[in-house]
Amino acid sequence: MRGKNYLVAPVVLGIVLFFLAILGTSSARASHPAGDVTLRDLNGDPISIGSTTPYSPKQTCATSGCHDYGTITSGFHFNQGKDEIAENPPRDASKPWVLSPGMYGKW
Amino acid sequence: MKCGSCHPGAGPAEFSRDKDPNDPTGQAYLPYYDESTGQFGYEVLGKSASDVYSEFDGDYTFLHPMFMKYMNAPWNATGVSQADCLICHMEGYSWFNRTVTLGAGPNLFMVTGYKAFQSAPAAGAGWATINMNAVVMMPGQLPYLNPQAASDFAIDYDLGINSGTLSYDDPNNPSYYVIPAEVIVKETPDQNCWNCHGTPDVRKYGRSWESDTDAHNARGVFCVNCHPAGEDAPDPKIQGHEKHDFAKGTSMIGSVRDDLDGTMFDCEDCHVKGAYPGAPDPATAHAQIPSFHFGKIACESCHIPYKEDSVITPTKEDPDLVIDMSFNGNQVIYPWSSFFDNDPVDPTAHDSSAPSSRWYPSLVLFKGKIAPAKPLLTIWWGEWNGKTDPDEIVVQPYPLWQVRLALQTDPTTGMPQNPVVQGALTNDSNALAADGSDPYEVNTTAEIAAYIYALKTATIQVTDGGPDGSGTTPITKTGLGSNPVLVKGCRIFYLADDGGTPDDPSDDTIASFESELAEPHNFSIHHNVQPSYRALGAGGCEDCHRVGSPFFERKMLICPWDENGNPVYESAYEEVGYSEGELEELTESVPEEESPSLGSSECFIATAAFGSPLEKHVKVLREFRERYLLTNPVGTLVVKAYYALSPPVARFIARHETLRAAVRLALYPVVGIAWASLYHPGATALVLFGIGAAAIVVVRRKRSVS
């Protein structure tokens, strides 16, 4: 009996470590690899404690060349077809009023 | 501004249509508003706001229902909406806060809207106080802040400190606010996708992504697992680019970013080719299904056999089925339940064994396979160019505000007050609108003729209200066009003969013709995938191959109302090209499973062992059969014998995992020889000859020794 009791602690510890490992890995939506990001306003200045100035996502994320704002925003979710507008010739001859495939310019 | 509720900013939310004259490259567009100069983009070009909206031919305008004024977009009260990174990259981002902020209030919208645009990202991130008493919730509208409220909004970054979404640059000596690294997630959480996609997707497809019946959601699959972006994307068109595009499939509507079609993982990628580790191998479940099914039927047809409300979501998820814009110039929306109860074969019958909300997607041919779709039927008026050739026909829709004016639609009751139209209308609908009412519809010859007459002759008068409603310039127009037509139920209805008395539509003749322009808009269905035990076929062949088949005989709405006001349905077998005779063959008995014809794609044992007829080893064996066996009498005999004997063996193998592994091992050398024979026939013949010769030598030596 005494010998079996000695096994309890390591087994429990093992189970706990196992579940901690699972929990630790399962919630791992990769966070920002470059660390914390300073909030910046429209002019690119850091937002001071107590300020009520709106932060600028463009300055916050793209300042210092961290992210290429122009490239990122050329994706479809941002343009919604604006960069695919075609009037002459129309995209669809039977629907000449449809200028783009997205929400912008499509009717 | 409300576009920004879902639009993440940048692109057309940041820049106008005009190029920046001061940009040396000539490529940059003018921002809508420059806060540093206080100039709107059009002012840089020397224009006024009136100049801008006069450039558009009816877009960016609407008819105010109460003031009956033709309202222009408020170009002189706009701003710049930058790309809001956290709308996708922050778990818990508040779509609601962003939306009400963009709706604006006195603190944000007094002079221009630029402050609302600037403040929306902070509001969405939860770094602002919003006076909920100032939020206006109107049915059918996005929530917004009441402009009359005394206070409604204030940025407060300490809210982020308290919630943990912000911290300080230096905890001991703080100067600035920072976003902690762990708050910025790489993969967009599902909820962030659904903040914007939820409402339109439910309207298009019904319930789409809940864990109670969607097998993928229930197993923890995220949106971005199937629609990866950046370095996670398998396709080089997306992979590695910082341009933020998501991998996508191929849609039946197929208008958006066709260049990215097929860049996402499909069923076969994950379940057969191993792109998603842990995706169940369908081999065992599919082993008893003749493999020609997989060449004719999309996975979704069987694995999304029906859709129904989720018990998790609070609202009814009844997709739009018909949008009627013909009756009064408004969008009268009829949900699926207006035309179907929950029986797949009889739209009016109720199946008490199934949830009342259950509905069965249409089945259509798409890319050579039978695939499920959610149709949307639209009914509308437009100007016809008189052509019937599919390559030449154009029907330009009339702006709905003009239709309402021509019909003299009462803004309160929705009833047309145009006397000619009113006199012809009869209430004969079998369908119910979303609110349960039983509205009128345009279906009889007399009604269509009266409407066409009204649209051709009505004089509409309205005031140009300008962007703020104060305009007084009258606008008058006689007739919306010279050749109005009704687009409804796969047909186009037109005035064929005015009966000799142009001012009397009662003697008019209305004719119609079929046109693709009037066909339903089919939305592909890929979500809400059921687990295998609920798929069609899980209950045996009789799931589909029986009289009253929910597969072949399920009904699809073709026209919401015919001349008598009755809906017109079609069976799925007709839509996918089967004749009545073929339907009888397919449903009166189960087709003989063991009697496939030569040349079919059957390869029973290999399919059972490798799990799919699409698996690469099975494909090699099939190609070998086609090239070397079915091209000579001996090989044909071998194949026939194989077909006669192998199906029961294959079924046995499929049920035993160990045996499947053993058979795979045994088949690898065979596959290897088959592959070599196909692609290196000369070398293979030489090697085989050498092996044979060596074998003969060995046998002879043994004999001589003995």
Side-chain angles (χ1 to χ4, degrees):
Chain A
M1 288 295 288
R2 187 174 177 79
K4 285 183 180 176
N5 286 340
Y6 278 122
L7 290 173
V8 172
V11 168
V12 170
L13 185 64
I15 293 171
V16 168
L17 288 174
F18 173 73
F19 279 102
L20 281 177
I22 287 178
L23 289 172
T25 51
S26 62
S27 61
R29 277 186 183 278
S31 61
H32 194 246
D36 298 351
V37 179
T38 303
L39 282 188
R40 296 179 185 276
D41 65 16
L42 202 60
N43 300 316
D45 299 324
I47 292 185
S48 304
I49 307 298
S51 170
T52 58
T53 303
Y55 91 98
S56 158
K58 190 174 186 173
Q59 293 289 358
T60 299
C61 301
T63 189
S64 306
C66 291
H67 290 285
D68 184 344
Y69 184 85
T71 302
I72 288 172
T73 59
S74 62
F76 175 77
H77 276 76
F78 302 96
N79 276 283
Q80 290 290 326
K82 182 176 188 283
D83 56 345
E84 298 176 81
I85 282 181
E87 292 187 64
N88 263 322
R91 304 182 65 81
D92 181 346
S94 67
K95 298 176 181 175
W97 61 90
V98 175
L99 305 182
S100 100
M103 301 287 277
Y104 187 92
K106 187 177 183 181
W107 187 65
Chain B
M1 296 177 75
K2 298 285 183 67
C3 300
S5 297
C6 285
H7 191 286
E14 185 169 4
F15 299 102
S16 70
R17 297 182 182 189
D18 295 312
K19 293 280 178 64
D20 183 350
N22 299 319
D23 175 52
T25 68
Q27 298 301 311
Y29 288 91
L30 275 168
Y32 284 118
Y33 183 73
D34 185 341
E35 192 186 358
S36 62
T37 63
Q39 272 194 311
F40 294 100
Y42 59 81
E43 290 179 315
V44 176
L45 299 175
K47 298 178 184 175
S48 69
S50 300
D51 293 333
V52 180
Y53 40 74
S54 67
E55 293 173 0
F56 300 114
D57 54 0
D59 50 354
Y60 294 101
T61 60
F62 69 101
L63 184 71
H64 197 292
M66 290 177 67
F67 307 131
M68 294 301 281
K69 286 185 175 181
Y70 178 71
M71 305 295 289
N72 302 113
W75 298 105
N76 55 354
T78 188
V80 163
S81 175
Q82 295 182 351
D84 186 354
C85 309
L86 297 181
I87 201 172
C88 294
H89 292 289
M90 178 187 196
E91 200 149 16
Y93 183 94
S94 173
W95 174 91
F96 181 88
N97 284 2
R98 178 180 173 86
T99 300
V100 296
T101 306
L102 287 168
N107 297 330
L108 298 170
F109 201 62
M110 283 298 283
V111 182
T112 70
Y114 76 86
K115 285 185 179 175
F117 284 119
Q118 283 181 9
S119 303
W127 306 330
T129 56
I130 291 174
N131 176 9
M132 292 303 294
N133 291 325
V135 176
V136 180
M137 305 284 284
M138 297 281 284
Q141 287 189 23
L142 294 173
Y144 63 95
L145 290 170
N146 183 357
Q148 307 304 320
S151 66
D152 52 10
F153 177 91
I155 285 178
D156 181 357
Y157 291 110
D158 285 340
L159 292 172
I161 297 291
N162 296 335
S163 66
T165 55
L166 285 177
S167 60
Y168 300 121
D169 57 332
D170 180 351
N172 298 318
N173 186 24
S175 301
Y176 309 117
Y177 294 108
V178 300
I179 311 173
E182 63 271 20
V183 169
I184 306 168
V185 294
K186 177 187 170 193
E187 294 180 344
T188 304
D190 282 9
Q191 186 55 49
N192 296 51
C193 300
W194 287 111
N195 282 342
C196 294
H197 284 273
T199 299
D201 279 26
V202 166
R203 291 185 63 181
K204 285 179 182 173
Y205 318 106
R207 183 265 303 266
S208 281
W209 191 244
E210 296 297 343
S211 60
D212 54 344
T213 55
D214 188 284
H216 294 126
N217 187 306
R219 285 161 177 77
V221 175
F222 300 122
C223 301
V224 292
N225 290 138
C226 294
H227 298 278
E231 64 188 21
D232 297 329
D235 194 286
K237 278 181 276 191
I238 297 175
Q239 191 181 55
H241 300 291
E242 194 165 21
K243 182 175 179 176
H244 280 32
D245 276 325
F246 290 88
K248 67 185 283 279
T250 306
S251 166
M252 292 179 191
I253 290 286
S255 63
V256 171
R257 288 308 298 270
D258 293 342
D259 60 314
L260 298 181
D261 278 358
T263 50
M264 66 177 285
F265 294 122
D266 61 18
C267 310
E268 191 183 335
D269 287 330
C270 293
H271 290 278
V272 178
K273 298 177 180 173
Y276 190 83
D281 184 342
T284 305
H286 285 171
Q288 297 186 55
I289 301 172
S291 62
F292 60 80
H293 283 75
F294 307 111
K296 291 184 174 178
I297 306 172
C299 305
E300 293 92 334
S301 293
C302 296
H303 285 274
I304 312 177
Y306 52 77
K307 299 190 83 171
E308 61 196 24
D309 271 6
S310 165
V311 297
I312 296 171
T313 50
T315 53
K316 190 169 172 59
E317 293 156 322
D318 198 359
D320 297 351
L321 182 55
V322 176
I323 299 182
D324 176 24
M325 294 164 275
S326 65
F327 168 61
N328 58 12
N330 291 314
Q331 289 193 345
V332 182
I333 299 173
Y334 295 82
W336 191 276
S337 56
S338 296
F339 292 89
F340 291 93
D341 204 319
N342 67 346
D343 187 301
V345 177
D346 181 351
T348 61
H350 182 74
D351 176 4
S352 57
S353 66
S356 297
S357 63
R358 182 172 294 182
W359 59 276
Y360 293 78
S362 294
L363 291 173
V364 300
L365 280 178
F366 180 59
K367 297 177 76 174
K369 290 186 177 183
I370 299 171
K374 205 293 293 179
L376 176 68
L377 288 71
T378 54
I379 311 171
W380 45 278
W381 298 102
E383 180 72 9
W384 178 36
N385 67 352
K387 311 280 189 184
T388 55
D389 188 314
D391 294 329
E392 297 180 310
I393 184 171
V394 175
V395 180
Q396 171 97 30
Y398 294 138
L400 292 181
W401 66 270
Q402 292 187 10
V403 174
R404 290 196 293 275
L405 287 177
L407 301 178
Q408 300 173 31
T409 299
D410 185 306
T412 306
T413 66
M415 283 299 293
Q417 302 298 310
N418 184 305
V420 177
V421 166
Q422 208 172 37
L425 275 174
T426 53
N427 187 355
D428 49 7
S429 173
N430 290 328
L432 296 177
D435 61 0
S437 64
D438 188 5
Y440 295 78
E441 69 281 340
V442 187
N443 60 303
T444 65
T445 297
E447 288 169 340
I448 297 171
Y451 271 77
I452 287 178
Y453 174 77
L455 296 172
K456 282 177 73 172
T457 59
T459 298
I460 60 175
Q461 288 182 309
V462 66
T463 301
D464 183 351
D468 58 0
S470 62
T472 56
T473 309
I475 299 174
T476 303
K477 183 174 183 178
T478 302
L480 272 54
S482 59
N483 203 5
V485 291
L486 175 66
V487 180
K488 174 178 79 86
C490 300
R491 304 187 74 82
I492 291 177
F493 296 80
Y494 64 99
L495 177 65
D497 187 342
D498 70 3
T501 48
D503 293 335
D504 180 10
S506 66
D507 63 354
D508 289 352
T509 301
I510 299 298
S512 69
F513 60 92
E514 287 189 358
S515 171
E516 285 183 16
L517 286 178
E519 290 180 353
H521 312 278
N522 287 322
F523 295 101
S524 302
I525 289 182
H526 301 291
H527 294 156
N528 208 39
V529 173
Q530 301 285 343
S532 57
Y533 60 88
R534 288 189 187 140
L536 282 174
C541 305
E542 290 80 6
D543 273 3
C544 299
H545 296 286
R546 62 180 165 89
V547 175
S549 164
F551 185 82
F552 295 108
E553 297 182 65
R554 75 172 63 173
K555 295 297 179 292
M556 300 155 53
L557 185 68
I558 299 302
C559 180
W561 34 75
D562 63 11
E563 174 126 355
N564 300 312
N566 298 317
V568 181
Y569 300 93
E570 181 184 43
S571 293
Y573 79 88
E574 298 172 83
E575 173 65 28
V576 299
Y578 288 116
S579 65
E580 280 193 33
E582 288 170 318
L583 174 71
E584 284 182 20
E585 284 181 25
L586 288 163
T587 57
E588 290 193 345
S589 63
V590 176
E592 285 294 321
E593 187 182 342
E594 282 90 0
S595 59
S597 60
L598 292 181
S600 78
S601 58
E602 299 299 337
C603 213
F604 296 113
I605 291 177
T607 301
F610 287 103
S612 167
L614 305 173
E615 205 275 342
K616 59 184 179 184
H617 299 91
V618 183
K619 283 182 177 174
V620 170
L621 291 174
R622 203 161 46 234
E623 287 176 31
F624 181 81
R625 178 197 64 189
E626 303 292 331
R627 188 181 301 180
Y628 291 109
L629 297 182
L630 292 180
T631 50
N632 66 78
V634 177
T636 304
L637 271 177
V638 170
V639 173
K640 279 186 176 175
Y642 174 77
Y643 281 167
L645 300 172
S646 67
V649 179
R651 280 197 292 274
F652 184 77
I653 292 169
R655 286 194 291 267
H656 298 84
E657 204 51 45
T658 311
L659 191 54
R660 287 184 60 221
V663 173
R664 282 199 298 273
L665 271 178
L667 282 176
Y668 281 134
V670 180
V671 174
I673 294 171
W675 179 84
S677 305
L678 286 166
Y679 297 102
H680 304 285
T684 307
L686 205 60
V687 171
L688 288 175
F689 180 78
I691 292 173
I696 291 169
V697 169
V698 170
V699 169
R700 284 192 171 175
R701 277 188 181 174
K702 279 189 177 177
R703 281 183 180 170
S704 64
V705 170
S706 63

